[in-house]
Amino acid sequence: MQIPYTIQDNLGQTSAPSTLTVNVTPPPAPVARDDAKAGDFNQPVVVPALLNDTASPGTTLVPGSIDLDPSTPGQETTRTIPGKGTFTAAARRHGALRPGAGL
């Protein structure tokens, strides 16, 4: 961003215009890390998905922003994997896997 400006001295003389340039560098993107959790047969498994993820300095992770299928447009908060189960992202920093039949 550029802002033109002038300045005056104590005699009231004004300088030629000059430019103030401000460059702002946004923080890097957050880092999501792989998660793993074991569970009991035919029971839901709660995974603290954001527990090991990090935000950039000066930012915070947004728990409600978990997207379970980033390869498709929009945000997917539920994803069913045939023969495996259904994963649902919760707004409280975790997700839950409901196993499919026989898992």
Side-chain angles (χ1 to χ4, degrees):
M1 170 174 54
Q2 293 185 327
I3 303 167
Y5 74 97
T6 60
I7 191 167
Q8 290 185 338
D9 64 17
N10 64 330
L11 299 176
Q13 301 176 102
T14 302
S15 70
S18 191
T19 303
L20 171 65
T21 302
V22 178
N23 295 311
V24 177
T25 303
V31 176
R33 292 183 178 83
D34 293 342
D35 301 290
K37 179 110 185 228
D40 293 329
F41 177 79
N42 209 24
Q43 296 296 314
V45 177
V46 175
V47 180
L50 302 186
L51 187 63
N52 63 342
D53 300 338
T54 55
S56 299
T59 68
T60 57
L61 296 175
V62 178
S65 69
I66 294 173
D67 184 358
L68 298 178
D69 192 357
S71 67
T72 62
Q75 181 185 8
E76 304 297 327
T77 57
T78 299
R79 185 170 182 188
T80 299
I81 301 172
K84 302 293 183 184
T86 300
F87 191 84
T88 303
R92 295 182 307 271
R93 302 179 69 89
H94 69 270
L97 174 65
R98 299 245 177 236
L103 296 176

